Each structure stands twice: as C-alpha cells, then as structure tokens.
C-alpha cells in the first residue's frame, strides 16, 4: 500500500523539493507572516466595524471604570448590551489597557452612524457603524490609542493560534513541513480570520485556548499521557470556558480522547490524572462564573436571560440550514464589517472548491490510513470536535441569529488540518493553495475594506466632464455633478453619480442627503439616505470652503416596477427631524426641487396596454408608432394603447382634439376641448415591440353633454410638425362619442 507520504507527490512535484527548506523555522515564519499581514488589517479596519465590537468595548469600559462585571438587564441603555452575558476573561485582561491609558474622550470619539446598513452586504455604502474623524492614518491618541493597543494584543493572541495549528499539524504528520504549512496557512491567510483577529472580540481568546488544547490533545494521542501536559490541558480548558461558553465544547471531546487513549494503552494512572485535570481544574478556576450566573439569573449559563432581554427566535431546522448556510459559508472566508462587505465572488467559489476537494480527499486519507491508529485517532478527534461545535452552533442559531463564520473559529484547528489532510491525499501541492491565499489576504483590505471607511476626497478644481450648478441648501453648495448619459434603466441596474459639494461652513446639527430616482408621477423607485461620503463624514465635521468629491451608486431594486421617464432628485434634510431644507439659487432666492434627467425606467420589455374591452385600431404614425386599441370612458377620458414598430427619437407628444363638427380639409373648424400628453417614457429609449398607454382627460363645462368626434395623432412641439399618417392633416378620426361632464 502506498504510504501517506507518497500522496504529497502530486503532479510530479515531490515534497522532497522542499528538503532544502526543511531547516528553516516554519513554526516562526508562518506566525510572523500572519502577524505582519494582520497589521495591514489593523490599519484598514476602524475600531468598531467587526460584529459586536462596540459592545465588547462596552464590557471592557464598564469593568475598567466600575471595577465590577456588568449584569444583564432588560434595559438596553448600556453600551455592553447583550455582551454582559459573556464570560469575563478577555474583558478583564483588556480592561487593564483601558485603565492604563487616558480614555476620557471616548464619549466624543464614539459616535454611531444612525443610517448604517448592518447585515445587508447587497446594499452599497453606509457600511460604517460609527463615524471616525481620522480613519487613515490611524488616530493614535486618547481612547483611539487604547483601542489600537487592545487590538494589537488581540492580534498577538491570534498569532499564538496560528502557531498552535502549525504545531498540531506537525504532530499529525511530523515528516511533512509542507503539510503543516498548508494547514497553518488555511487559517493564517483566511481574510475573515485576519479581520476578526484584529478586532475587539473574545472569539480570538477562546480560539487561541482551543487551538492550544487541540495541540496538547494530539500530543497525548501520539505519545501517551503526561501529568504535566494533562495539568496544562485542564488549565487551558478552564481559560477557554472563562473566555466564551463555546469553550465548553472542548470538554466532551477531550474526555473522549482520554478514554480512547486509555483503551489503547491501558495507562490507568495517566488517565486518572488526565481526567482529573480536565474535570477538577476547570471546576476550580471557572466554577465561580457559573455560581454567579445561578445567583444572578437562576441558570448556569445566563443565555436564557440574554435571549429574554434581547430577543430570540424560533426557526425550523430545515429553514435554518437552507436559508442561512450560504451566509455561514461566506462569512467564514470573508464577510467584513458588520456582516456587510463582500469580497469577490471568485474568492468564495475558489474556497468552496478547496473545501469540497479537501472533504473528498479526507475520505481517501482515512481509507489509506485505516490501519494507522494514531492518524485515524487524530482525524477522529478533530472531526468529533468539529461535529460537536457544528451541532452547538446549529442549536444556538435555532434560538437567535448566529449563522456567522466567526463562531466556527474555535474549531479552526479541526477545519484547517482536516482540509489539509484531504488536499494532501489528493496530491495538491501546498504552494498552489498557500501562495494565492497569501496574496489575496494582503490585497483584500485595500480592495474591499479601506474604500468603505475613508472620507470623501477633496479636489482643487472641478473636472471638465462635470456639469456646474449654482444650487445650494443653506450652507451646502452643489457646485457640480457627474452622471451617466440618459439611458434606458431596468430593475437591478446601478446608476453612478458624483456630486461636488462646497460647504460654506460646518453645520451645527447633522444634515442628511437623499438621492431618489423618481418617475414623472413623482414616485420614488430607489432612494439613498446618507450622510456625506456615503455615511463616513457628517456635515458637522466638514471643512470650510473646500470641495468634496462625493461618489454614489444608486441601486434600482429588482422588484421595482414602472414605465416612465425618470430623474434623480437630490436634496437635504435635518437629521433626525426629517424636515427638508429648501434649495436656493446662488442669489438666495428659493428654487424648485433639484432634479437631473437620467433617461427612462422600463420594467423589462414594456407590455403596458388596455383591458380586453378596448376597441381595436390599426393606425400607424410616422411608420413607427401604431395605435393598437383605445377606450373612452366616463364621458371625458380617452386612453390610447400604442406599440412601437421601429425606433424613433425626438420630443414627441400625443394630441387629442375634440371638434364641434367633423373635420373637413381646408375648412374652418371649432375645437371644443383638447388634451395633449407626452408618452410616459421618452421614445428615444424605447425599442420595437414596446407598448405603452397615454391617458387624456378632457376638460368640459359643468353639466356639459354632446356628441363629437375625437382626432388623435403625434407631433413634435419644437418643430410644430406632426408625424405622417394616411389621414387628413395626419389626424386619425375616432367614431363620434357622447361627452358628458358632471354637474357641480
């Protein structure tokens, strides 16, 4: 049978080619590389942008300022919110940093963005949970400095995790540094792991203790029981439990590993010490936390109280697995911000492929090593730990929203090593995985994170492509704008827009911007509500007499429906009062609503027509516009259903004239009433086959009745010219109809 070492000789590239590198200390190089890449993420992501970071800061702040642990309460008026239910070790450690530095400016520093899109990665802009006066370069003073120190220490904890995973992999396959490098890199260069590792989160501490515990457990499976190692395992288990309740999942899998080792070796004394360490040490070190929960909340874990205070949910298992698995998968490999910033679709597809290939290869690894007890027991230990963790995550997600990839990080040792075993069994060269992951992990902050949080740039001059304006809203002047050429827009389209603002001074109260795509009837198809810089720069922080370039993309919802000319309506309102600010001309005179023509919106292929009771026609105007059917109702309303037979442009309108007597060429005539209307969408943007309806309501004296003919056609008001038609004066005569108007 081929040895497992042979499975690393894929594509003719044997791992023996790495022999010259074996002497290098990979166990230090990989954590060092991770730490250096982590510094890029530390720079790129502002303090409060990872999930629940602000609440984690709230716990740290509370402990540092009160000297006590926060207590859960139904009132939600504390920054720590639901994180008061968390075990306290991470917060106790980081509160030492908070206490050591001057954080008196925190109240001024931390300002929430009330228009943030949390949990909506499909929405653009407003990804920042808070406002930052100086996102780049970092603000290294006051509370901001304290937060950067805490995040740097958190990165150090994650670096220990990477080192532990590397050592765990070396324990499983000690003769293959390429395997250990691959297993470690699957964690170290995972953009989501890097992002969470540089945030403020107790997930990082419990993950470190879990990874160290897995390493020692694998050493026990390989070399047998060791009293000192067992004691350290007990301490690590206790510290993991005090970091986060997910640390409890270590207990049953460590117990199973001990029982398995007892069965293999018969070392009862070693087992007794091992079992005693993982049972008694956590009880002694962490038991007080559960006693506190019983005293305060009447329960061991405090989770029921948290769900009661902050809201839980009840969701069927099938719906959970079907509806939230995609989000879990994506957020494991890279979903930044508060579940709001995607990376690239190709990145997710590649990591899906790596995961599927690794899972399939793992079956081959198990089959080829079915007689190797240690390798089977190591894979079994890691697999059971992952399975228990997955079950616990599903159980928790059934009670509250928790389908996020970072909650799998305590089991990242299992995920990374098992995937690496599978990839190795299929002879996938480690550099084929490691190098692209390394490159992408470095690029991701610059491509996806920094653009979401940086302030809008200032410019010295307006580009020649921009349209200059003289409109302003109090102390905010719109000096120019850039928009795409008018076009035909459809559901799902995105409309780019660049606005050039010149604030005359910073405002005394926040003012929010709205950009709406409106129809000719005034209906809003899509709207952006935002502070400037797409949420990054409130008007209270604007500089005086500078020009900001402010870029937006207006997304038309897939469910949008309509057939109309559309314009962009731009305006400002005082937040949160909602009162609109009146636009003014440069002279200070009031101006009407500021709108920009943008073309037409058509919901797919236009099929707007009349009900089956309409009367058929067959008239064609200008060899381009056919009248399909028409309907006359209520004694004064005419509706005409048109079909475009070929492309035609120009500012065309439909006329509908009611004459006293039938029209005779070259004879005088008397108009009773006339109702002209443009088509709902400018014809320049329509296509052959599109249909639409024009509606004409005739104005008549109160109580009027009479029978008259209606004459319809098309004309260009700029040229005072009608479209040709095979009728006198290019007018189609409809049958004589009875007109009536209600009496007053």
């Amino acid at each position: 049978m081929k040895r497992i070492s042979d499975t690393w000789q894929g594509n003719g590239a044997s791992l023996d080619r790495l022999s010259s590198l074996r002497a290098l200390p990979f166990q230090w190089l990989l954590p060092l590389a991770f730490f250096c890449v982590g510094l890029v993420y530390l720079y790129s992501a502002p303090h409060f942008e990872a999930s629940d970071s602000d609440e984690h800061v709230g716990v740290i702040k509370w402990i540092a300022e009160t000297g006590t642990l926060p207590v859960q309460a139904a009132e939600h008026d504390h920054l720590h919110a639901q994180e008061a239910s968390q075990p306290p070790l991470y917060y106790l450690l980081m509160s030492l940093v908070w206490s050591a530095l001057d954080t008196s400016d925190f109240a001024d520093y931390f300002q929430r963005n009330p228009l943030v899109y949390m949990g909506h990665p499909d929405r653009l802009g407003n990804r920042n949970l808070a406002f930052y006066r100086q996102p780049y370069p970092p603000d290294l003073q006051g509370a901001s400095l304290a937060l950067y120190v805490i995040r740097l220490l958190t990165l150090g904890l994650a670096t220990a995790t990477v080192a532990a995973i590397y050592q765990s992999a070396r324990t499983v396959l000690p003769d293959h540094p390429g395997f250990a490098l691959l297993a470690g890199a699957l964690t170290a260069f995972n953009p989501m792991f890097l992002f969470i590792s540089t945030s403020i989160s107790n997930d990082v501490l419990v993950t470190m203790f879990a990874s160290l515990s897995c390493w020692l457990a694998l050493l026990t499976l390989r070399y047998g029981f060791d009293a000192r190692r067992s004691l350290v395992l007990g301490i690590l288990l206790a510290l993991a439990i005090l970091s986060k309740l997910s640390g409890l999942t270590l207990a049953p899998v460590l117990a199973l590993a001990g029982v398995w080792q007892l069965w293999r070796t018969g070392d009862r004394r070693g087992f007794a010490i091992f079992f005693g360490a993982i049972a008694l040490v956590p009880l002694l070190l962490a038991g007080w936390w559960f006693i506190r929960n019983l005293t305060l909340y009447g329960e061991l874990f405090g989770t029921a109280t948290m769900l009661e205070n902050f809201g839980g949910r009840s969701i069927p298992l099938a719906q959970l697995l079907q509806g939230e698995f995609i989000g879990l998968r994506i957020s494991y490999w890279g979903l930044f911000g508060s579940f709001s910033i995607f990376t690239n679709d190709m990145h997710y597809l590649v990591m899906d492929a790596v995961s599927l290939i690794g899972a399939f290869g793992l079956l081959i690894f198990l089959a080829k090593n079915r007689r190797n007890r240690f390798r089977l027991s190591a894979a079994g230990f890691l697999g059971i730990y992952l399975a228990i963790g997955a079950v616990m995550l599903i159980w928790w997600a059934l009670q509250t929203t928790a389908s996020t990839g970072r909650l799998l990080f305590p089991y990242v040792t299992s995920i990374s090593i098992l995937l690496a075993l599978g990839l190795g069994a299929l002879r996938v060269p480690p550099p084929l995985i490691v190098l692209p992951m390394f490159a992408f992990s470095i690029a991701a902050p610059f491509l996806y994170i920094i653009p979401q949080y940086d302030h809008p740039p200032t410019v010295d001059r307006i580009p020649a492509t921009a349209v200059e304006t003289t409109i302003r809203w109090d102390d905010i002047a719109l000096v120019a704008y850039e928009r795409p050429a008018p076009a035909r827009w459809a559901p799902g389209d995105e409309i780019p827009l660049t606005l050039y603002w010149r604030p005359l001074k910073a405002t005394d109260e926040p003012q929010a911007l709205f950009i709406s795509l409106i129809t000719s009837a005034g209906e809003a198809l899509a709207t952006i509500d935002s502070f400037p810089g797409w949420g990054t720069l409130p008007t209270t922080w604007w500089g005086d007499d500078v020009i900001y370039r402010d870029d937006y993309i207006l997304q038309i919802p897939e469910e949008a429906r309509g057939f109309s000319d559309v314009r962009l309506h731009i305006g400002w309102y005082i937040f949160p009062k909602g009162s609109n600010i009146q636009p003014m001309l440069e002279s200070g005179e009031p101006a009407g609503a500021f709108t920009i023509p943008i073309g037409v919106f058509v919901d797919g292929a236009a099929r707007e027509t009349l009900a089956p009771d309409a009367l058929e026609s067959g008239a064609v105007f200008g060899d381009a516009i056919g009248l399909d059917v028409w309907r006359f109702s209520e004694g004064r309303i005419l509706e005409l259903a048109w079909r475009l037979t070929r492309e035609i442009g120009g500012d065309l309108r439909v006329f509908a004239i009611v004459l006293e007597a039938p029209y005779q060429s070259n004879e005088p005539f008397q108009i009773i009433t006339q109702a002209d209307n443009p088509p709902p969408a400018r014809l320049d943007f329509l296509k052959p086959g599109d249909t639409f309806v024009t509606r004409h309501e005739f104005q008549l004296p109160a109580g009027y009745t009479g029978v008259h003919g209606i004459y319809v056609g098309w004309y260009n008001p700029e040229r005072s010219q009608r479209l040709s038609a095979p009728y006198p004066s290019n007018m189609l005569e409809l049958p004589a109809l009875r007109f009536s108007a209600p009496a007053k």
Side-chain angles (χ1 to χ4, degrees):
M1 179 180 296
K2 183 182 294 184
R3 296 179 295 116
I4 186 62
S5 60
D6 296 332
T7 66
W8 285 88
Q9 299 174 6
N11 302 323
S14 170
L15 267 189
D16 290 339
R17 295 181 182 179
L18 295 174
S19 58
S20 61
L21 303 177
R22 288 179 187 270
L24 292 177
F26 281 119
Q27 62 267 35
W28 302 117
L29 287 178
L30 183 62
L32 178 61
F34 167 79
F35 185 83
C36 292
V37 177
L39 293 176
V40 178
Y41 284 75
L42 186 70
Y43 175 92
S44 64
H47 294 308
F48 304 105
E49 299 309 318
S51 298
D52 303 329
S53 285
D54 55 330
E55 296 172 2
H56 291 304
V57 172
V59 180
I60 295 170
K61 182 174 179 290
W62 178 276
I63 294 173
E65 294 177 355
T66 69
T68 63
L69 300 180
V71 177
Q72 298 188 66
E75 297 78 15
H76 299 174
D77 53 353
H78 293 298
L79 182 59
H80 53 66
Q82 66 187 31
E83 301 304 331
S85 65
Q86 297 277 14
L89 182 57
Y90 177 80
Y91 310 108
L92 289 169
L93 294 174
M94 299 309 170
S95 67
L96 299 176
V97 176
W98 193 266
S99 299
L101 297 172
D102 179 13
T103 57
S104 58
D105 63 338
F106 180 78
D108 293 330
Y109 181 82
F110 178 62
Q111 297 188 35
R112 293 182 184 274
N113 174 12
L115 298 177
V116 63
Y117 296 144
M118 294 182 63
H120 294 282
D122 55 323
R123 299 287 297 272
L124 300 177
N126 270 302
R127 266 71 179 272
N128 54 302
L129 185 142
F131 299 124
Y132 305 95
R133 285 188 180 272
Q134 185 181 326
Y136 309 107
D139 181 11
L140 299 179
Q141 57 184 346
S144 180
L145 175 60
L147 294 172
Y148 273 114
V149 173
I150 291 172
R151 293 174 62 192
L152 186 64
L153 292 175
T154 305
L155 175 60
L157 300 176
T159 304
T161 297
V162 173
I165 293 173
Y166 182 90
Q167 296 300 334
S168 296
R170 290 298 300 269
T171 302
V172 175
L173 292 180
D175 297 329
H176 300 285
F179 164 73
L181 179 64
L182 174 58
L186 286 169
T187 298
F189 304 137
N190 174 354
M192 191 64 181
F193 185 80
L194 281 156
F195 181 74
I196 295 299
S197 297
T198 54
S199 69
I200 298 174
S201 172
N202 61 342
D203 288 310
V204 181
L205 187 62
V206 70
T207 299
M208 181 191 75
F209 288 132
S211 300
L212 291 170
S213 298
C214 286
W215 177 26
L216 296 189
L218 290 170
L219 287 173
T220 300
L221 290 174
R222 173 173 281 278
Y223 299 113
F225 293 117
D226 176 85
R228 182 178 299 175
R229 188 189 308 125
S230 297
L231 178 61
V232 174
L233 257 177
I235 295 173
L236 290 174
L237 176 58
L239 296 177
I241 294 170
L242 282 174
S243 301
K244 194 168 185 177
L245 287 177
S246 55
L248 283 168
T249 56
L250 277 167
V253 73
L254 289 177
L256 285 174
V259 171
W260 172 257
Q261 192 67 1
L262 172 65
W263 180 79
R264 284 185 58 200
T265 64
D267 184 357
R268 296 182 179 180
R269 180 177 178 276
F271 174 75
I273 296 174
F274 177 88
F275 193 82
I278 65 171
L280 296 179
V281 174
L283 185 62
L284 292 173
L285 296 182
W288 68 270
W289 171 252
F290 300 100
I291 295 173
R292 178 181 184 269
N293 287 335
L294 278 172
T295 302
L296 291 173
Y297 316 121
E299 55 167 326
L300 279 174
F301 305 127
T303 53
T305 303
M306 188 274 285
L307 293 173
E308 179 181 350
N309 290 338
F310 289 89
R313 68 173 179 178
S314 178
I315 181 174
L317 177 60
Q319 182 180 342
L320 173 70
L321 297 178
Q322 181 179 2
E324 299 188 8
F325 174 76
I326 294 178
L328 179 68
R329 175 191 111 242
I330 288 176
S331 60
Y332 181 84
W333 294 113
L335 185 52
F336 307 129
S338 297
F339 218 71
S340 57
I341 303 174
F342 281 125
T343 62
N344 184 278
D345 288 343
M346 183 58 66
H347 170 234
Y348 302 122
L349 292 175
V350 169
M351 298 318 299
D352 283 347
V354 169
S355 301
L356 291 173
I357 293 170
F360 177 73
L362 181 62
L363 299 177
I364 297 176
F365 172 84
L366 295 175
K368 289 185 175 182
N369 288 272
R370 60 185 178 274
R371 297 181 182 176
N372 188 315
R373 286 190 175 183
F374 168 69
R375 289 175 179 170
L376 285 181
S377 62
F381 166 78
L382 295 171
I384 292 172
Y385 182 38
L386 178 58
I388 293 174
V391 169
M392 294 305 297
L393 178 57
I394 291 172
W395 171 79
W396 186 237
L398 290 171
Q399 302 176 74
T400 185
T401 303
S403 300
T404 175
R406 66 182 171 84
L407 298 183
L408 288 172
F409 287 158
Y411 321 106
V412 70
T413 301
S414 295
I415 296 172
S416 296
I417 292 180
L418 292 176
L419 283 180
L421 288 173
L423 294 169
L426 292 175
R427 304 181 181 182
V428 177
L432 187 63
I433 305 296
V434 175
L435 294 179
M437 287 191 68
F438 175 67
F440 186 79
S441 68
I442 294 176
F446 301 100
L447 295 175
Y448 308 110
I449 300 178
I450 291 177
Q452 301 298 330
Y453 301 116
D454 204 0
H455 288 172
T458 59
V459 296
D460 295 328
R461 60 178 61 89
I462 303 301
T465 55
V467 178
E468 297 188 12
T469 78
T470 58
I471 199 79
R472 66 183 178 91
W473 292 260
D474 287 345
D475 295 319
I476 302 171
L478 178 64
V479 295
Y481 64 85
E482 292 179 282
R483 54 101 167 108
R488 175 184 175 124
W489 305 97
D493 285 347
E494 296 182 343
I495 303 175
L497 177 68
T498 298
L499 305 171
Y500 294 89
W501 304 109
R502 189 181 73 240
L504 305 181
K505 66 177 182 178
T507 62
D508 296 328
E509 54 187 343
Q511 296 181 4
L513 164 75
F514 69 84
I515 304 169
S516 295
L517 181 68
I518 59 172
T519 66
S520 54
E523 177 189 0
L525 297 175
T527 297
I528 291 174
D529 280 282
S530 179
F531 297 102
W534 221 340
T536 62
L537 186 64
T539 56
T540 51
W541 291 356
W542 268 7
D544 294 343
D545 206 26
V546 296
I547 298 177
Y548 290 101
R549 174 189 171 116
D550 204 5
D551 296 310
Y552 296 91
I553 297 176
L554 187 69
Q555 297 171 295
I556 305 178
E558 293 286 353
E559 63 274 13
R561 296 292 178 265
F563 183 97
S564 173
D565 288 330
V566 286
R567 305 171 72 86
L568 292 174
H569 180 199
I570 301 171
W572 288 84
Y573 62 96
I574 299 173
F575 189 90
K577 299 176 183 178
S579 51
N580 284 347
I581 302 172
Q582 176 67 38
M584 296 180 292
L585 301 175
E586 191 174 27
S587 62
E589 298 177 3
F594 183 76
T595 62
I596 304 171
I598 202 71
V600 304
F601 173 77
V602 177
D603 171 23
R607 292 291 181 265
E608 189 181 22
T609 188
L610 297 176
D613 62 343
L615 301 175
E616 293 186 4
S617 178
V620 177
F621 295 84
D623 294 325
I625 310 171
L627 178 62
D628 284 350
V629 294
W630 61 276
R631 179 170 59 194
F632 186 73
S633 60
E634 300 182 30
R636 63 187 184 282
I637 298 176
L638 176 66
E639 293 171 290
L640 306 171
W642 305 94
R643 179 184 302 274
L644 210 64
T645 59
R646 67 174 178 84
E647 292 185 356
I648 187 172
D651 181 19
L652 298 176
R653 297 173 66 91
V654 180
F655 65 82
I657 303 173
V658 179
L659 298 184
E660 172 68 27
Y663 175 76
Q664 299 291 330
S665 296
N666 301 319
E667 295 291 333
F669 56 88
Q670 181 180 353
I671 297 177
I672 300 296
T673 182
Q674 182 170 351
D676 296 356
N677 270 322
R682 190 177 172 91
L683 299 183
D684 305 66
F685 305 105
L686 301 187
K687 302 175 182 178
D690 286 349
T691 63
F692 54 91
V693 173
T694 60
R695 188 175 185 272
H696 309 264
E697 182 173 357
F698 298 103
Q699 301 299 317
L700 297 167
Y704 180 89
T705 61
V707 177
H708 306 285
I710 304 178
Y711 297 81
V712 299
W714 286 82
Y715 70 101
N716 186 322
E718 294 179 356
R719 302 178 182 176
S720 299
Q721 180 180 0
R722 294 176 180 175
L723 290 186
S724 62
Y727 312 108
S729 296
N730 298 314
M731 299 188 303
L732 170 67
E733 180 182 6
L734 301 180
L737 301 167
R738 177 167 293 279
F739 287 80
S740 63
K744 286 187 178 179

